Amino acid sequence: MELRKLRVFVEVVRQGGFSAAAETLFATQSTVSKSVRQLEDEIGMPLLNRIGHRITMTEAGEVVFRRAQQLLADREDLIAELDDIRGLRRGTLRLGLPPIGSSVLFAPVFTLYRKRYPGIDVSLVEHGGDRLDELLQAGEIDLAGSLLPIPEQEYDWQTVRCEPLVALLARGHPLKDAGPVTLKDLKDVPFILFESGFALNRIIIEACRAQGFEPQIVARSSQLDFVVELAAAGLGVAFLPRMIADERRRAAVDYVPLKGHETDWNLAVTWRRNGYLSKSAQAWLACLREIHQDV
């Protein structure tokens, strides 16, 4: 059983279809379909139910998916461990960071790391926290920027920054002088959120439900500046960590503090608790601690 075929199958499940998986794998759809079909022939059972353009896993598919994720993660651990034998003169650090806050918090760490370890190649991917969690679980990245809380039995972490959220409202909104507001105070205002896969969305929506309402979501975007401009245009209310909001001040936007700690933006760098943490990853964490002395 080839790991390459398992990798293709895992990506088809993750992406929810063959065409999306083909884009992620930089392969043709026919190549992806053929690889999954060969895997099914080798196992002797169907792994996927194909219903139109939608797929679901069979019982066998669920077993293979779970085991394949672990096998792929073990392979990456093996490669990382062998790189460590060579020392930090060369190797790769696979890093996953969220788009929100990375430029401020991690750019200085990059600079220090590059200066000390010029032979280490840093492979960077940027996604929302939920997608980074998938990549971390599969062993495709060594470290991920994640919002706490996270499952303690699965991850270890190093805290980076904790910031309260602020609500972004168009200039002159009636709530602008209300002082700190709760999410419930904003329940009649349409919400502008980030794209699905951003952990900040989940924190906001869960906090709304805890306060007894379901938010009306009027727009989603992965572009931070566009989210701010939508709020400035009066489309609804957006939310940013205070530190990020201060960087993106707009004359057309009022910034209202959000009351309560249940929505705090608590950013950490995480890694798999039972995975192998390479020396290159350990060196990155040391640089992170040095830059952010209050961690």
Side-chain angles (χ1 to χ4, degrees), residues 3-288:
L3 287 175
R4 178 183 58 82
K5 293 176 184 175
L6 293 174
R7 168 82 175 88
V8 170
F9 173 69
V10 165
E11 202 59 41
V12 169
V13 174
R14 280 193 196 145
Q15 299 299 327
F18 291 89
S19 58
E23 291 181 13
T24 303
L25 295 166
F26 301 102
T28 64
Q29 185 172 338
S30 59
T31 299
V32 171
S33 298
K34 181 180 178 182
S35 182
V36 173
R37 188 166 59 250
Q38 288 174 341
L39 182 62
E40 289 178 319
D41 290 343
E42 185 176 351
I43 291 172
M45 287 183 286
L47 303 178
L48 297 172
N49 295 311
R50 298 158 175 85
I51 308 168
H53 296 293
R54 189 168 61 88
I55 62 164
T56 60
M57 284 185 287
T58 64
E59 185 176 359
E62 290 177 356
V63 172
V64 172
F65 179 72
R66 184 178 69 253
R67 294 286 189 175
Q69 283 190 301
Q70 186 59 55
L71 286 169
L72 293 168
D74 288 344
R75 174 186 179 275
E76 296 303 326
D77 283 351
L78 172 62
I79 292 172
E81 197 164 350
L82 291 173
D83 281 343
D84 278 352
I85 294 173
R86 305 183 185 103
L88 286 170
R89 290 186 297 276
R90 60 192 179 107
T92 300
L93 171 67
R94 302 162 307 155
L95 188 62
L97 296 178
I100 302 175
S102 292
S103 60
V104 177
L105 295 172
F106 296 113
V109 185
F110 268 101
T111 301
L112 179 61
Y113 191 78
R114 177 59 61 198
K115 180 179 179 180
R116 289 185 178 169
Y117 310 106
I120 302 296
D121 179 32
V122 180
S123 175
L124 176 65
V125 295
E126 291 185 282
H127 291 290
D130 291 345
R131 174 59 175 153
L132 291 179
D133 178 67
E134 293 177 358
L135 296 176
L136 192 60
Q137 280 284 10
E140 294 179 30
I141 54 178
D142 305 306
L143 300 170
S146 302
L147 292 186
L148 301 179
I150 56 176
E152 294 186 15
Q153 67 274 18
E154 296 179 20
Y155 299 106
D156 287 312
W157 66 87
Q158 184 171 310
T159 302
V160 179
R161 184 79 169 238
C162 185
E163 289 279 325
L165 292 187
V166 296
L168 280 61
L169 294 160
R171 178 69 72 186
H173 192 279
L175 288 173
K176 74 180 183 67
D177 296 321
V181 297
T182 66
L183 287 171
K184 195 166 186 177
D185 294 330
L186 297 163
K187 67 183 180 65
D188 295 325
V189 182
F191 279 32
I192 303 165
L193 298 182
F194 288 93
E195 290 285 2
S196 59
F198 280 66
L200 182 58
N201 289 353
R202 185 178 67 253
I203 289 172
I204 291 170
I205 291 173
E206 287 178 357
C208 288
R209 289 170 178 166
Q211 294 183 29
F213 74 100
E214 194 74 24
Q216 175 196 348
I217 301 169
V218 70
R220 294 179 183 267
S221 174
S222 61
Q223 302 300 314
L224 196 155
D225 286 332
F226 187 50
V227 166
V228 175
E229 293 303 328
L230 289 176
L235 189 66
V237 59
F239 302 91
L240 287 178
R242 180 180 56 193
M243 175 189 71
I244 310 302
D246 287 344
E247 276 200 319
R248 285 168 166 77
R249 288 279 173 181
R250 300 285 192 279
V253 178
D254 284 318
Y255 298 79
V256 182
L258 206 60
K259 188 185 299 183
H261 293 291
E262 68 276 6
T263 55
D264 280 355
W265 183 78
N266 196 355
L267 183 66
V269 171
T270 64
W271 58 94
R272 288 179 296 129
R273 171 156 288 186
N274 296 320
Y276 177 75
L277 190 62
S278 67
K279 283 189 171 66
S280 58
Q282 292 176 45
W284 171 271
L285 293 173
C287 290
L288 180 67

